[in-house]
Amino acid sequence: MQAALKKLFRAVLPRPLFDRAKMLQRRVHFSRQTGFSDEEPLIARHLEALPLKNRFAVDIAAQDGIGGSQTLALYKRDWQGIAVEYDPEMFVILSAFYRAFPEVSLVRGKVTPDNVVDMLRGCGCPREFAFLSLDIDSYDHFVLERILDAYRPSLMCVEINEIIPPPLRFTVKYDPDFRWEGNHFQGQSIAQCHALCDVHQYDILELHYNNLLLAPRELHRSRALSPMEAYDEGYRNRTDRKTKFPWNADVEPVHQMSRDDAMAFLNGKFARYAGKYVLE
């Protein structure tokens, strides 16, 4: 029945409206399961184990600041910070709710590699701030690259594209006109994120489904995980992942494929985006 309804909606709705409906459905699906964010206790545990120089958090793609938020619990404990959201409807809710947090600067704008550093500097972000949440469903890799060139957050929670297993390195290329269509074509793979973070001497602490937790090598005392270890423990071997990510059913075969077959399979999935991504 669900597949039939999806096919019907795809046939009768204009493409932009259908894509937005898919995106909203995923947000509702996650908020029903997790409340604010089921990463909150993991983030709190890692923050407690790190020597923090401040209590400052940056949330890029904060949405409404409530459902799925990884920073709300911190702001409720009087942390300072920055919350950035581009969607006007989400920002209206965010700005109304966050009146209770005068120490949090709100920015309504589209984050790009070209403006992210100036955006953070304009809001008084310290270089070694405590926590970064990044989830823009697009060219996240290049935004993160610019952030790490200028800042050194003590803990990062970075969304990865969970359908792409290591060692495959995937990223959407930077395009200022990119808009996520609510499908699999978004973000970066865990191997791609690790390659960037390794250059900046960040280690993987754990993967929680599609959220990767990383910390500077000089700060943490946890055992660093390889991309494969983190992916297996945090996503591939999770018994409930098919329930949490029902829209990934069409890409399940990738987990039984060789590296080369998986690349061919994914290139087929992304055929209409040829030239707009890297897959190695």
Side-chain angles (χ1 to χ4, degrees):
M1 178 62 73
Q2 186 177 14
L5 286 174
K6 181 178 178 180
K7 185 175 181 179
L8 174 63
F9 289 145
R10 185 187 290 274
V12 300
L13 292 177
R15 182 59 182 265
L17 187 57
F18 176 76
D19 290 338
R20 183 158 182 83
K22 282 200 300 182
M23 181 169 58
L24 291 174
Q25 183 269 333
R26 292 187 180 189
R27 287 175 176 169
V28 170
H29 179 83
F30 274 121
S31 65
R32 283 177 175 172
Q33 293 189 86
T34 64
F36 293 149
S37 166
D38 63 352
E39 284 82 27
E40 282 182 5
L42 307 180
I43 291 167
R45 172 166 55 83
H46 287 298
L47 287 173
E48 288 172 3
L50 294 169
L52 306 179
K53 292 190 175 182
N54 52 61
R55 301 202 307 167
F56 195 102
V58 174
D59 191 348
I60 297 179
Q63 298 187 34
D64 61 9
I66 307 168
S69 175
Q70 297 166 348
T71 54
L72 179 57
L74 303 177
Y75 296 147
K76 283 186 172 183
R77 299 204 301 268
D78 297 323
W79 278 46
Q80 295 178 296
I82 303 167
V84 185
E85 178 53 44
Y86 180 57
D87 185 279
E89 297 173 6
M90 290 288 185
F91 189 79
V92 167
I93 302 171
L94 172 70
S95 58
F97 186 73
Y98 273 47
R99 289 175 185 170
F101 309 123
E103 297 300 314
V104 180
S105 299
L106 304 184
V107 179
R108 198 248 148 175
K110 187 175 186 177
V111 175
T112 72
D114 297 329
N115 69 14
V116 64
V117 171
D118 288 341
M119 189 179 288
L120 298 185
R121 285 176 177 163
C123 294
C125 181
R127 181 181 181 277
E128 298 181 359
F129 64 94
F131 179 63
L132 169 68
S133 174
L134 175 64
D135 175 7
I136 60 175
D137 297 317
S138 58
Y139 40 77
D140 304 51
H141 179 82
F142 301 98
V143 170
L144 182 59
E145 183 178 38
R146 293 295 179 87
I147 292 174
L148 293 180
D149 283 342
Y151 291 95
R152 196 154 186 81
S154 301
L155 181 67
M156 302 192 298
C157 186
V158 179
E159 186 189 48
I160 55 102
N161 189 327
E162 75 286 347
I163 74 164
I164 303 171
L168 299 186
R169 292 173 53 176
F170 166 87
T171 180
V172 172
K173 290 183 178 180
Y174 172 51
D175 175 358
D177 297 322
F178 180 89
R179 183 179 179 85
W180 183 46
E181 297 178 343
N183 57 18
H184 297 310
F185 188 72
Q186 53 91 12
Q188 61 181 327
S189 67
I190 187 172
Q192 182 78 9
C193 185
H194 175 260
L196 170 63
C197 292
D198 188 49
V199 170
H200 291 273
Q201 298 189 23
Y202 274 76
D203 289 330
I204 296 175
L205 303 182
E206 65 179 300
L207 176 68
H208 190 67
Y209 298 101
N210 63 343
N211 284 298
L212 191 62
L213 291 161
L214 309 107
R217 204 159 288 163
E218 74 275 9
L219 291 187
H220 76 89
R221 297 293 178 264
S222 303
R223 184 178 76 87
L225 300 180
S226 69
M228 188 67 75
E229 289 174 322
Y231 190 78
D232 284 345
E233 294 176 14
Y235 179 74
R236 182 155 41 197
N237 295 338
R238 291 284 184 100
T239 58
D240 62 345
R241 68 177 173 82
K242 294 181 182 179
T243 302
K244 289 184 72 72
F245 296 83
W247 45 80
N248 288 347
D250 63 319
V251 293
E252 276 297 307
V254 78
H255 297 296
Q256 283 74 50
M257 294 179 180
S258 68
R259 179 187 59 188
D260 291 342
D261 287 346
M263 284 188 62
F265 175 80
L266 291 167
N267 279 322
K269 281 286 180 184
F270 299 149
R272 71 187 181 94
Y273 299 104
K276 297 183 179 181
Y277 68 93
V278 175
L279 179 62
E280 303 173 329

